[in-house]
Each structure stands twice: as structure tokens, then as C-alpha cells.
Amino acid sequence: MARESVTVLLFGPARQATGTGELAWPVSLGGIPAQTLLRELARRFPRLAPTLRVSRFVRNGRYLARLSTRLRPGDEFAVHPPYGGG
Amino acid sequence: MARESVTVLLFGPARQATGTGELAWPVSLGGIPAQTLLRELARRFPRLAPTLRVSRFVRNGRYLARLSTRLRPGDEFAVHPPYGGG
Amino acid sequence: MSVRLTGHPLSVSAAMRALSGRGLGGVVLFAGRVRPDLGPSGPVVALVYEIHEMPALRRLRELEGAARRRFGAERVVLWHRFGRLKVGEVSAIVGAACAHRAQAFAATRYLIEELKASVPIWKTERARPSRRPRPRPSRRVGRSAG
Amino acid sequence: MSVRLTGHPLSVSAAMRALSGRGLGGVVLFAGRVRPDLGPSGPVVALVYEIHEMPALRRLRELEGAARRRFGAERVVLWHRFGRLKVGEVSAIVGAACAHRAQAFAATRYLIEELKASVPIWKTERARPSRRPRPRPSRRVGRSAG
């Protein structure tokens, strides 16, 4: 069921910069472009801004090709800082 | 204790060609050059001759640098066909 | 073929079994272990691994297929652990079984390099066992065990 | 450092333990297994491995030292089995543990290539379980178990 928020997942350095791994980010029913949400995140968490500049973004499990893509209520939006597995 | 023979060890294809892994090869007390023993072995085991041509030889655990080296009673002389471990 | 993301310890002997098959003479395994590096807040005693499960599994399955096509790997292991791992624990096992060893070396090297570069996994250093409550970890896979 | 010639089964988990040590983040293992190749007398069901023990151990110890000097390997495993091995059994485990994975891959590849080329070990194919008495094998290490 669509809630009136986007679920934002924050991994690795993004989690460290915000102090949380997951946020419910309120959006209007029509949604907002990903770049708008990123601007709002950077404003709320200034320490997150440098990480966002080197991250990739994943909407509902798929990499986002364009930051103009609209995120709608119920979407999952993940911030992927550079990977470090192994 | 020196016996009046050289212990000949035969590995891999050399063992297959002779049907044995070990021979006591009689030598005189003064010993014989390695090349003489190799000639005698090839005469006794004709199927061994091609293997001897591609083998290295080890006397008492050390590779033989020259086939003129004398083998004396009590020595161990090993025939090393090309290696195939792993 | 074997892709696995788990919170439990990884076993190299289980990986060897997963890499078994007739005609597979060469098996190469890479195991990554937590190193006691010196972090900004002191010597590292543990790492916390997080994984974004859905895209990670998709990418690992792509890598399996690539190892098969490019190197003839008939068995592949791509296992990664998440949660809190102490120094010395195995974080990842990557391996390939092929008819010949040159392929198995090339496939395993390819898989670990690609895993590091392209699979959504992150590690965070822990300088010493923390007593204070930590930030709530990301959901899906990757919650800290400690 | 670990060099071993044995008539008993080889264990990759024991090899992993032998490759443990603080600061060794990258471990690479190669395991050789008996393949069911088609030999001149039919499909291979087993291989008999023979080893000339004294010169083999000496060469393996040289290789250990070379892996340390050339690749910074801090732990090395050079294990080989002798006797009769059935298809699928592990004949050799070679591995290296280094601070970084590139070194561990390079060291392990070097060790297995050198082991094959320069250590006195031989394998003989068995096309099917033989009932007739076999030739007396070489003494020292390497007698057939079958």
C-alpha cells in the first residue's frame, strides 16, 4: 500500500553521516524528482552531502538512470556510496 | 653400511617401463660412472630407454650434474622422468 | 552455481563441496578476512558489513553467468557475509571450478575484483567493542549483529 | 609455513587454518582434483601419485622461501598427497596468505606452476580398479594405497 512517503535506505558512509539506515521521507501524492529529494536530504544532513556526490541511486531495486525520475509515495530509494565488499 | 650394489629408484613412467620401483644393481667396489649404469639399465629394460633420455637423475637426494659421476656401493640412484604433480 | 548472502560464518570446506563436479580438475578459492588495520579511532577490532540484498543478488547472478561464459567456469561460489565480523573472520569466499587451472585462476580473480567494484556491499570499521547504542542499521540485509 | 606430503586426505579447512595470521587479509587456495580423463585403456577411475620424498621436500621448502621473498607471502601451504586417489579426490592444496589479494593470487599461481614443473611427483593413470597384483612401487614416499 502506498504511504505518503518515500523509504530512503542509507548504507555505509551514508548511514554513518545521518545516524540512521532508513528514513520515511514525506512526499506529495504526485511525488518529487530524485534530485529534489537529494537536495532536501543534503539540507537536512549536511555531513551527507559529500557522500551523495559520489553515490549511485537505486529506486525499487533498479539503478536510477536519470535524477529527473520522479519518486512516488511507497517507493524505496537507496543511496549507494562506493562499494567496499570482499 | 655399504652393500655391493647401488639402489636404483624408478618413478612414474620408469617404474611402469620396468615393472618395479626399486632395483639393487650390483657394482664393483670401486663403483661405476652413472652413464655406464644407465647404459646397462637400458640394455636390461629396452622399454625404459626412451624415458631415460628425458629424465633427470638424483644421487643420494641431490641432482646429478654430470653423468661421469661415479656411483659407489650403497649409493641411492633415482631416475626422475618429467614431473607431473598437482 | 552458488550465490549466498548470509549472517552466519562461511566455511571453505562447504565452498569446496559447492565447487565439486566431474571433470573439474582445477579449483581456486579466494577468502577475504577482516584485517586489524589501524583506523582513525584506533586499531580495527571488527567490521560491520551491510548489503543491499536485491540489487546485490542480481549483480552476483550476472557475475556467475559472466564467469561461465568468459572463463568456462562450471561451478562458481560467490558468498558474502553481513553483520559484525571480528578481526580474522572470513567476510567473503569467491571461487571457481574449471577443467583447467588457468581458467579457474582467471575466473576467481575476475569475480573478486567485480564483487568489490560492482556489488552493493559496504564495510564500516569498529575500532573497539562499542557499548553505546549504535544508529539503527539499514533494513533488508546488513544489520549489525553486535 | 607449511609443507606436507601425506598418504591421507587433504582438507581445505585445515589449509585455511594454516593460512591464518594477523593482518593477512587475502587468502588464495588452489586445489587439484583427480579428473575422469579418458586414458589409453578407458576412462580414468584413479591416479596413483608417487613422490621422491627427500628432494621433493627440499624443493618445496625452496618454493616457500621464494613465495615469501617475491610476493610477501606470510603463510604458505604446499601439500601433496601420494598413493591411490579416486576421481574427485584432492591431490594437492597450494595456497598463500598475504596482506593483499593481488600478491596472494600471484604467489599461489607461482607455487602451483613451480610445483608441477620442478617437484619430483608423478601420477600414473588407473583405467579401472585393478585385480591383478601391481608392480612393487618405489620405496620412500609414494607407495600405492590400492
Side-chain angles (χ1 to χ4, degrees):
Chain A
M1 199 199 78
R3 298 165 293 158
E4 296 190 9
S5 63
V6 169
T7 301
V8 178
L9 300 181
L10 299 153
F11 293 98
R15 180 167 65 75
Q16 292 191 289
T18 58
T20 186
E22 186 176 332
L23 295 164
W25 200 261
V27 295
S28 63
L29 276 172
I32 54 171
Q35 59 206 358
T36 304
L37 184 141
L38 290 170
R39 209 175 308 125
E40 292 175 2
L41 281 173
R43 200 174 305 133
R44 163 115 165 250
F45 303 103
R47 287 176 56 211
L48 180 61
T51 298
L52 292 178
R53 283 196 288 274
V54 295
S55 291
R56 299 171 74 185
F57 307 103
V58 173
R59 187 185 64 140
N60 300 335
R62 297 283 176 180
Y63 287 101
L64 209 63
R66 287 163 293 112
L67 291 180
S68 56
T69 303
R70 280 191 100 73
L71 306 175
R72 295 176 195 281
D75 278 357
E76 180 186 280
F77 179 76
V79 175
H80 280 198
Y83 304 144
Chain B
M1 197 197 81
R3 297 165 295 159
E4 295 190 9
S5 63
V6 167
T7 300
V8 178
L9 300 181
L10 299 153
F11 292 98
R15 180 167 64 77
Q16 292 190 290
T18 58
T20 185
E22 186 175 335
L23 295 163
W25 201 261
V27 294
S28 64
L29 275 174
I32 54 170
Q35 60 206 355
T36 304
L37 183 142
L38 290 170
R39 207 175 309 122
E40 293 175 2
L41 280 173
R43 198 174 306 131
R44 164 114 165 253
F45 303 102
R47 288 177 55 213
L48 180 62
T51 297
L52 292 179
R53 282 195 289 272
V54 295
S55 291
R56 300 171 73 185
F57 307 103
V58 173
R59 188 185 63 139
N60 300 335
R62 298 282 176 180
Y63 288 100
L64 210 64
R66 284 162 297 112
L67 291 180
S68 57
T69 303
R70 281 190 100 73
L71 306 175
R72 296 176 194 281
D75 278 355
E76 179 186 279
F77 180 75
V79 175
H80 279 200
Y83 304 143
Chain C
M1 299 304 220
S2 176
V3 157
R4 184 180 297 174
L5 302 174
T6 175
H8 299 289
L10 298 173
S11 148
V12 290
S13 46
M16 271 297 286
R17 286 192 296 275
L19 292 168
S20 291
R22 283 186 76 78
L24 304 178
V27 178
V28 174
L29 278 179
F30 169 85
R33 279 190 305 213
V34 176
R35 279 188 298 165
D37 284 340
L38 195 62
S41 359
V44 170
V45 296
L47 292 178
V48 176
Y49 282 89
E50 293 171 89
I51 303 177
H52 193 183
E53 185 175 21
M54 190 166 59
L57 286 174
R58 186 182 309 118
R59 179 62 185 148
L60 291 172
R61 292 198 190 100
E62 287 173 5
L63 293 177
E64 272 191 333
R68 181 193 283 270
R69 286 190 308 278
R70 296 167 62 152
F71 304 100
E74 295 191 37
R75 297 281 189 289
V76 167
V77 159
L78 281 162
W79 294 354
H80 209 293
R81 198 169 154 192
F82 56 84
R84 188 177 196 278
L85 276 74
K86 290 190 294 250
V87 162
E89 287 194 276
V90 173
S91 53
I93 299 179
V94 170
C98 303
H100 298 286
R101 70 186 179 284
Q103 304 162 308
F105 273 99
T108 303
R109 186 71 197 269
Y110 166 82
L111 289 169
I112 182 62
E113 299 300 334
E114 287 294 321
L115 183 149
K116 285 178 173 273
S118 70
V119 179
I121 303 174
W122 299 267
K123 53 174 171 259
T124 308
E125 294 180 350
R126 291 275 179 269
R128 63 196 116 59
S130 173
R131 291 289 179 264
R132 64 183 168 77
R134 273 196 293 278
R136 184 178 161 214
S138 298
R139 69 192 180 108
R140 311 289 178 272
V141 179
R143 57 197 65 94
S144 156
Chain D
M1 299 303 222
S2 174
V3 157
R4 184 181 299 173
L5 302 174
T6 175
H8 299 289
L10 298 173
S11 149
V12 289
S13 46
M16 269 299 284
R17 286 192 294 278
L19 293 168
S20 291
R22 284 186 75 80
L24 304 178
V27 178
V28 174
L29 278 180
F30 169 84
R33 279 191 303 215
V34 176
R35 280 188 297 165
D37 284 340
L38 195 63
S41 358
V44 170
V45 297
L47 292 177
V48 175
Y49 281 89
E50 294 172 90
I51 303 176
H52 193 183
E53 186 174 23
M54 190 166 58
L57 286 174
R58 186 183 307 116
R59 179 61 184 148
L60 290 172
R61 291 197 190 103
E62 287 172 6
L63 293 177
E64 274 190 332
R68 180 193 282 270
R69 286 190 309 276
R70 296 167 62 153
F71 304 100
E74 295 192 35
R75 297 281 188 290
V76 168
V77 159
L78 281 163
W79 294 355
H80 209 294
R81 199 171 153 190
F82 56 83
R84 188 177 196 277
L85 277 72
K86 290 191 295 256
V87 163
E89 288 195 276
V90 173
S91 53
I93 299 180
V94 170
C98 303
H100 298 285
R101 69 186 180 283
Q103 304 163 308
F105 273 98
T108 303
R109 187 72 198 270
Y110 166 81
L111 289 169
I112 182 63
E113 299 300 333
E114 287 292 322
L115 183 149
K116 285 178 175 272
S118 70
V119 179
I121 303 174
W122 299 267
K123 52 172 171 263
T124 309
E125 295 180 350
R126 290 277 179 268
R128 64 197 113 57
S130 173
R131 292 289 178 263
R132 66 183 167 77
R134 274 198 293 279
R136 183 179 164 215
S138 300
R139 70 192 179 108
R140 309 295 177 267
V141 178
R143 55 199 64 96
S144 158

